Amino acid sequence: MRYLEVFAVAALFAFTGPAQANATSNSPIKDGLGAYFLAPHPGGFFGPSDPSPPEANYRTAAMMKMAAPTNQWYSSLMFERWSYPLFATPVSYRAGPNGFEVGVPTPTVSQAKSGYKEVIWPHRAELTINPTAFKPVDARLAGHGDWNVKVEMANGSDKFDATILHGSPFSYYKITRGDVRLRFDSDAVIAEHGVPSGVASFVVDGHPYAVFGPSGCSFTWVSPREMILHLPADSGYFSVAALPNDSMQTIKLFKQHAYAFVTNTRAEWTYDAKTSRVITHFVVTTHAMQGGETTPILGLYPHQWFDQSIPGLLPDVFPSVRGTIKLLAADEFTTQMTYHGIIPFWPKLPAAVGGSRVDSLLGGDVAKMYGAFGVQGPGTYWIGKGLGRAAQLMDIAAVQGKAGEAQKLENMLTQHMEDFFSGKNSSTYFVVDRSIGTTIGYPQEYGSVSHMNDHHFHYGYWINAAAQVALRDPTWAAKDHWGGMVDQLVHDIATDRRGLKRDPYLRNFDPYEGHSWASGDEMMNDGNNQESSSEAINAWAGLIFWGAATGDDKLRNLGIYLYTTEVQAVDDYWFDIHHIVFAPNYNRVLAAQVFGDKYAYNTWWTQNPREVQGINLLPITPASTYLGRDPKYIRLFFDGLKKEEAQYASSGMSDGTPSDIWQDVFAEYKALAFPKVARGDWKSQGSSESGDSRTHAYYWIKSLQYMGEPDFGVTADTPLYAVFKKSDGAETYLAFNPSDSSIPVKYSDGAKLVATRHALTSMVVSAPGATPKISESKLN
């Protein structure tokens, strides 16, 4: 989540919580050759004191013993007395002073003069539920699973709890004493005939609902806008469901499952290297409040049901901001997704097909790197961008045989990382904050400390750069050297254990929606959000490479799960390549921003279409090949960009950026499907994105001309692989082997090679039956 530039500057001065320790007690804590602190320094980079993270005080005592789950769809529960809207989708909720609000969002489309457009499904309190015997004083996070949340609204020993979860039309409630009141924001149309006992059914604002009470309960309609649910003294529970329709058949079906209260949810995944598949098993734990039924009704998002075999899907569905939610009466289901492989670097580009030009560009770009760090900001994001640029240049220099240039770039990388990691610099350093459970870098950028924003964006660049250094110099990456500090960043964004005090489980990643969220505190009426999906995927690629470089197969496989899942979600919710999510009247080729309640063609800092569309492409690295999965979409992308540029130019809204801004990124993206055309688009003297370089852009485009476009029809039985295919049928098979021994690699089309230890092995087959040409590339 990047705020407007004015806000970003203001955020650097923000101080939102007390320091955890005074200056005399804030001694560095060693981690290998590096060190971190337990509190920010009193003398900040831009002011008298660096900020602390926000205080997540609205948690129950049990939740205070664990790290605060920031950057989730429900995180606002922890930071203020009452929450912001919680978009469980297809139903939205809000814990407020008047009670617990429930609504089924409906869409609206907005468009401004400049061409900014969004489709928003805002929260509306169609019904509000509150106890009659007591008035809660606040709402607190009382528990959560991977996609369910428990909200506690209490006053002393009196408690009113709500459990909500992604995808489900149900919400579940418990109360310690008394009855509950339901108020409606318009006159309810009450179903009076054929409704089963213990059920009240009604339609509010065109949306049908049902309330399912325990045996012995009764309902009193005070007015068309108010109903009282009378609960037996020993049965303080009920559930509420939004219904796909108001038929008696649906009401009776929902009643069968209404008392299977969800108590926990888990997304358990495995990576099958032999088939290159990620299998995710979604499991729900329930408790039968009455009767013997323990099966809930779930809702599946498009990325979970599209191109999947899910038995038992119900015929009724819900429309939503994420597309059609399909219902399933089950306590588990499984998805399978293909991991198409990534590699940390590409092979040498021969002199005759562009290698000589790469060599000539390299010297100038290496020289420019010395002054490229921190030009746009001194914190972990902009330094990270510099690290990413230098790492890509280092790899190119190494495979092209320019050892001296590669060493210069490696020295730059280690110098800038160690500047933060060492704990010796008063303005650039890391803090492990134990009150909220996080590792934070100073100085902050874009609210990375005061709002806990964007950690995966920032640290993804660092982890990738560290992985590239580790492949050249394993000693540098050892835990007793600098690897321990890199691991601090890894753990911050990707701890794979639940319930720890140190960091929350998968801080940024939403296991059910299948993508990341960027806002740490989620204190917005639109819910949480993420803009640059490509920077999120860059972070997960970093985990894959760091795990591979350090021999941590568990971390590598976690990265593969996150990478593969988010790629699928991005294809649906950012690019809509299957045409199953965007509203017909949206008329845009992508959603540059995805929120809890909307998707928008916009950025936090500009409405320039080149940046609006480009922010979901960068950084371009060997892990970016997923962007080429649909060549038809790439055509659509550029057709849409051309139209938006014309509209933007005619609006008079230009912000003074170069007319060819990020032309290198766009050419590299186009090269994934049309490399020859892309070469004509790229201008060596044109605009260059701050995380890219002329050398990298030219090398990327010419490599794709030489190898062909990514071939997503072929997989391999090793984690680090890629396959490219030319129009004449020639195939290039790549496999990177970080281990100490050679390994055999088999591809799904029958091709085989032996991957050399500590090297990228390339096998080119010019035609079926032709003798393969095998070569190797190394970083040192």
Side-chain angles (χ1 to χ4, degrees):
M1 173 182 183
R2 293 186 184 80
Y3 292 90
L4 297 174
E5 292 301 315
V6 172
F7 183 86
V9 173
L12 290 170
F13 294 90
F15 182 74
T16 59
Q20 296 171 310
N22 58 39
T24 58
S25 64
N26 193 27
S27 300
I29 297 177
K30 295 292 291 181
D31 192 338
L33 298 180
Y36 58 85
F37 297 86
L38 296 181
H41 295 339
F45 193 95
F46 287 103
S49 183
D50 281 330
S52 291
E55 295 180 339
N57 290 333
Y58 291 94
R59 294 180 282 165
T60 60
M63 290 304 297
M64 291 293 282
K65 295 177 181 179
M66 309 174 194
T70 64
N71 303 85
Q72 289 296 326
W73 58 277
Y74 53 84
S75 294
S76 68
L77 277 165
M78 302 182 293
F79 295 103
E80 290 193 355
R81 183 179 178 188
W82 305 110
S83 79
Y84 282 76
L86 310 172
F87 293 97
T89 307
V91 187
S92 62
Y93 305 93
R94 185 171 194 165
N98 297 320
F100 196 70
E101 302 171 3
V102 183
V104 176
T106 54
T108 61
V109 179
S110 68
Q111 184 169 8
K113 179 181 178 182
S114 64
Y116 162 86
K117 194 168 187 177
E118 64 183 9
V119 176
I120 181 170
W121 296 62
H123 170 69
R124 181 176 179 179
E126 294 178 332
L127 54 146
T128 302
I129 310 168
N130 64 284
T132 60
F134 62 93
K135 184 176 177 61
V137 297
D138 58 33
R140 294 173 182 256
L141 178 64
H144 66 88
D146 286 359
W147 71 93
N148 70 295
V149 179
K150 182 179 178 181
V151 184
E152 179 181 285
M153 294 156 281
N155 188 333
S157 61
D158 291 323
K159 296 180 181 180
F160 174 46
D161 295 342
T163 296
I164 60 178
L165 63 156
H166 268 325
S168 175
F170 276 96
S171 48
Y172 309 94
Y173 303 87
K174 292 183 179 180
I175 189 170
T176 52
R177 66 182 180 94
D179 300 330
V180 292
R181 177 183 291 107
L182 287 83
R183 290 192 174 96
F184 312 103
D185 77 334
S186 64
D187 287 357
V189 179
I190 306 166
E192 298 179 345
H193 302 289
V195 179
S197 63
V199 180
S201 183
F202 45 87
V203 176
V204 179
D205 297 332
H207 295 136
Y209 290 90
V211 178
F212 302 93
S215 298
C217 74
S218 63
F219 300 91
T220 298
W221 284 94
V222 179
S223 74
R225 294 200 176 196
E226 183 176 344
M227 182 186 77
I228 304 295
L229 167 59
H230 302 285
L231 295 168
D234 59 348
S235 300
Y237 61 87
F238 63 98
S239 63
V240 176
L243 304 175
N245 58 66
D246 60 357
S247 73
M248 283 301 115
Q249 181 181 3
T250 296
I251 293 171
K252 291 176 181 178
L253 172 66
F254 272 55
K255 185 182 180 183
Q256 293 176 24
H257 303 276
Y259 303 102
F261 276 35
V262 172
T263 58
N264 195 22
T265 54
R266 287 176 76 104
E268 302 287 359
W269 58 270
T270 57
Y271 161 59
D272 183 349
K274 290 184 178 180
T275 61
S276 200
R277 305 278 287 178
V278 170
I279 299 98
T280 306
H281 192 47
F282 297 89
V283 182
V284 181
T285 304
T286 63
H287 175 71
M289 298 302 294
Q290 71 180 45
E293 182 62 73
T294 58
T295 302
I297 290 181
L298 308 176
L300 276 63
Y301 285 56
H303 79 281
Q304 294 169 322
W305 57 253
F306 182 81
D307 201 26
Q308 298 285 333
S309 178
I310 309 291
L313 289 172
L314 300 175
D316 292 315
V317 300
F318 279 91
S320 83
V321 68
R322 296 290 169 265
T324 299
I325 304 296
K326 296 191 175 185
L327 300 181
L328 177 70
D331 57 8
E332 60 182 346
F333 66 94
T334 300
T335 63
Q336 295 192 36
M337 300 176 182
T338 299
Y339 166 60
H340 291 286
I342 58 174
I343 49 177
F345 57 91
W346 284 355
K348 179 178 181 178
L349 187 65
V353 293
S356 296
R357 179 79 188 282
V358 169
D359 295 346
S360 66
L361 290 170
L362 187 61
D365 280 337
V366 172
K368 290 177 183 177
M369 274 308 310
Y370 286 100
F373 287 91
V375 172
Q376 292 172 275
T380 51
Y381 180 74
W382 286 110
I383 294 298
K385 293 279 285 185
L387 295 173
R389 176 174 159 185
Q392 293 301 307
L393 277 173
M394 179 184 71
D395 289 351
I396 295 169
V399 299
Q400 292 299 124
K402 303 296 182 181
E405 302 296 334
Q407 189 60 53
K408 291 177 185 177
L409 290 158
E410 181 186 336
N411 293 344
M412 290 184 214
L413 289 170
T414 56
Q415 173 192 334
H416 285 282
M417 285 190 282
E418 291 169 18
D419 180 56
F420 278 77
F421 287 160
S422 69
K424 298 177 181 178
N425 192 317
S426 62
S427 58
T428 53
Y429 60 99
F430 283 98
V431 164
V432 173
D433 183 282
R434 293 177 177 170
S435 66
I436 197 171
T438 184
T439 297
I440 40 182
Y442 290 88
Q444 76 158 334
E445 289 176 327
Y446 305 107
S448 58
V449 175
S450 56
H451 293 276
M452 290 292 295
N453 294 339
D454 299 349
H455 285 201
H456 60 324
F457 293 166
H458 295 217
Y459 299 165
Y461 287 105
W462 288 68
I463 297 165
N464 268 288
Q468 299 295 344
V469 171
L471 291 174
R472 287 172 55 87
D473 183 4
T475 300
W476 183 91
K479 293 185 184 299
D480 59 355
H481 282 64
W482 300 100
M485 290 300 295
V486 178
D487 285 341
Q488 296 285 353
L489 308 186
V490 170
H491 296 158
D492 181 78
I493 64 171
T495 289
D496 65 350
R497 293 173 58 195
R498 299 167 177 84
L500 298 183
K501 178 67 174 176
R502 174 63 180 78
D503 292 293
Y505 176 67
L506 301 180
R507 181 186 304 280
N508 295 88
F509 190 72
D510 186 327
Y512 206 74
E513 285 214 12
H515 62 82
S516 306
W517 296 111
S519 172
D521 53 27
E522 191 254 331
M523 293 198 296
M524 299 181 69
N525 285 327
D526 292 317
N528 215 317
N529 74 88
Q530 179 166 265
E531 185 173 69
S532 182
S533 60
S534 48
E535 287 183 306
I537 290 171
N538 181 60
W540 311 144
L543 302 186
I544 297 172
F545 296 145
W546 178 250
T550 58
D552 188 342
D553 292 352
K554 185 179 179 182
L555 177 64
R556 179 202 65 198
N557 293 349
L558 173 64
I560 289 173
Y561 158 67
L562 296 169
Y563 177 94
T564 304
T565 307
E566 186 134 6
V567 164
Q568 186 66 50
V570 168
D571 276 352
D572 285 327
Y573 309 132
W574 275 258
F575 298 148
D576 192 23
I577 67 172
H578 304 120
H579 310 293
I580 57 176
V581 175
F582 293 169
N585 55 354
Y586 179 55
N587 296 326
R588 297 296 194 277
V589 297
L590 86 165
Q593 297 173 316
V594 169
F595 289 76
D597 74 339
K598 71 179 181 180
Y599 47 90
Y601 189 88
N602 196 24
T603 71
W604 290 107
W605 74 94
T606 182
Q607 292 173 25
N608 182 333
R610 295 182 67 86
E611 292 165 279
V612 168
Q613 296 192 198
I615 193 59
N616 279 287
L617 304 179
L618 59 83
I620 299 292
T621 76
S624 301
T625 47
Y626 74 94
L627 292 167
R629 292 212 292 182
D630 187 346
K632 291 181 180 178
Y633 176 77
I634 295 177
R635 286 189 185 275
L636 184 68
F637 179 97
F638 284 103
D639 288 345
L641 179 61
K642 183 177 181 180
K643 182 187 74 172
E644 297 297 336
E645 284 187 288
Q647 181 177 342
Y648 182 71
S650 65
S651 71
M653 293 290 292
S654 175
D655 56 7
T657 55
S659 60
D660 69 341
I661 190 169
W662 296 356
Q663 59 99 25
D664 48 352
V665 171
F666 289 120
E668 290 165 286
Y669 175 47
K670 185 177 288 187
L672 288 168
F674 313 106
K676 186 175 181 180
V677 177
R679 176 62 189 92
D681 288 351
W682 179 73
K683 309 301 179 188
S684 62
Q685 299 304 313
S687 170
S688 187
E689 194 268 323
S690 59
D692 214 319
S693 64
R694 293 184 304 158
T695 301
H696 178 260
Y698 182 80
Y699 169 83
W700 174 276
I701 296 167
K702 295 299 291 185
S703 292
L704 287 168
Q705 280 189 268
Y706 179 59
M707 296 188 296
E709 298 86 57
D711 186 348
F712 297 100
V714 181
T715 60
D717 62 357
T718 192
L720 302 178
Y721 73 94
V723 183
F724 298 87
K725 186 174 184 177
K726 299 187 73 171
S727 58
D728 63 6
E731 294 262 7
T732 297
Y733 301 88
L734 302 176
F736 179 74
N737 176 13
S739 73
D740 294 331
S741 303
S742 296
I743 58 172
V745 177
K746 184 177 180 179
Y747 295 83
S748 60
D749 64 354
K752 298 178 181 179
L753 61 79
V754 175
T756 304
R757 60 189 294 273
H758 301 303
L760 175 68
T761 301
S762 172
M763 182 175 73
V764 179
V765 181
S766 59
T771 302
K773 181 181 178 181
I774 298 177
S775 60
E776 299 171 3
S777 300
K778 294 187 176 183
L779 291 184
N780 55 11

